[in-house]
Amino acid sequence: MATLLHIDSSINGENSFSRKVTATYAEEWRKANPDGTYIYRDLGADPIPHMTALAYGAQNTDPAEHDPEQAKAWELTGTIHAEVDAADVILLGAPMYNFSIPSTLKAWLDRIASQKYAAGPDGRSALSDKKLIVATARGGSYAPGTPRESFEHQEPYLRSFFTFLGLTDDVHFLHTEMTLSHVVPALEQFKHIFEATSEQAHGRARELAGAVG
Ligand SMILES: Cc1cc2nc3c(=O)[nH]c(=O)nc-3n(C[C@H](O)[C@H](O)[C@H](O)COP(=O)(O)O)c2cc1C
């Protein structure tokens, strides 16, 4: 039975464009996998605490060897690892915040960056057979050839992170750009970019969820 782990991180609730794309994927995936298991985590509404030395030590130590303090610090990380272990598909909603990802999503990444998942010399890990879908939303545009192309530290960062964890084979980025063209008058002229990228992201989400046709 397939499992989808869906994680959103936008602070914008129902006005979020990244959430709209992850919702499209999740809805279509659930139609295509009626007996599948669906796990949802909302880092925007319910952030996880930042990493501590104790939690970091605990996640890089065999749980059988935890002292009582480490065992307590491990509880949340253990739940996050169980969700990741169960997932066949990891679906991330990742707004662009200051040219990168929200700190809430970074806090989640810090929990899974452990020896348990680190890729071996062959580049493989326990995560290698999973599918990763990342729906981003950006106020501007960072597409190849645009003036801000080199400011794009979202997809390159996430690709590096998941390569470190051995997840490289089945990775897809769906970008919705120029989301601020609705609210910033100077960007109104770029609404067509928002419309085109939004349509493309939702279409690709449906396709990847196996619901096209
Ligand atoms: C804290 C913060 C930082 C942001 N930084 C950027 C940025 O660096 N570049 C950009 O194009 N848009 C930036 N934006 C705009 C968001 O990327 C844009 O509103 C996007 O649609 C957010 O994703 P969401 O619609 O899923 O909430 C920022 C927004 C916030 C709240």
Side-chain angles (χ1 to χ4, degrees):
M1 202 169 66
T3 298
L4 170 63
L5 172 59
H6 174 178
I7 295 178
D8 280 323
S9 59
S10 166
I11 56 173
N12 285 333
E14 63 184 23
N15 296 321
S16 155
F17 295 101
S18 61
R19 283 175 191 264
K20 286 183 174 70
V21 175
T22 59
T24 291
Y25 182 92
E27 193 184 323
E28 299 298 345
W29 186 92
R30 294 176 83 181
K31 271 190 225 158
N33 298 275
D35 299 325
T37 301
Y38 175 67
I39 305 170
Y40 183 65
R41 204 174 255 285
D42 188 341
L43 298 172
D46 192 11
I48 59 173
H50 282 146
M51 180 55 67
T52 62
L54 191 60
Y56 190 69
Q59 78 188 34
N60 287 299
T61 304
D62 183 342
E65 290 168 20
H66 283 164
D67 63 30
E69 264 194 328
Q70 283 180 317
K72 192 158 170 33
W74 167 250
E75 275 173 22
L76 172 62
T77 313
T79 302
I80 289 168
H81 284 201
E83 291 170 358
V84 169
D85 290 341
D88 297 288
V89 183
I90 300 172
L91 172 66
L92 300 181
M96 178 180 276
Y97 289 169
N98 298 310
F99 310 110
S100 180
I101 60 169
S103 58
T104 49
L105 180 55
K106 176 64 164 54
W108 182 84
L109 297 181
D110 288 343
R111 299 281 170 164
I112 62 169
S114 66
Q115 286 165 19
K116 174 179 166 189
Y117 297 127
D122 60 353
R124 311 301 289 172
S125 77
L127 303 187
S128 294
D129 292 335
K130 299 181 191 294
K131 182 194 284 284
L132 173 68
I133 310 226
V134 183
T136 78
R138 296 99 175 257
S141 176
Y142 300 83
T146 58
R148 288 282 187 260
E149 177 183 355
S150 67
F151 285 48
E152 210 282 65
H153 300 291
Q154 211 179 18
E155 179 174 338
Y157 167 69
L158 288 168
R159 281 196 185 273
S160 297
F161 178 85
F162 283 104
T163 298
F164 170 64
L165 296 190
L167 207 174
T168 54
D169 293 356
D170 201 356
V171 176
H172 310 267
F173 281 82
L174 317 179
H175 300 298
T176 303
E177 299 209 303
M178 281 293 170
T179 63
L180 291 178
S181 61
H182 293 90
V183 289
V184 177
L187 296 180
E188 209 171 311
Q189 58 182 312
F190 300 120
K191 253 188 190 157
H192 63 284
I193 296 176
F194 164 75
E195 275 151 18
T197 55
S198 173
E199 193 182 319
Q200 205 172 25
H202 283 276
R204 190 79 181 114
R206 279 190 287 272
E207 196 175 75
L208 287 165
V212 158

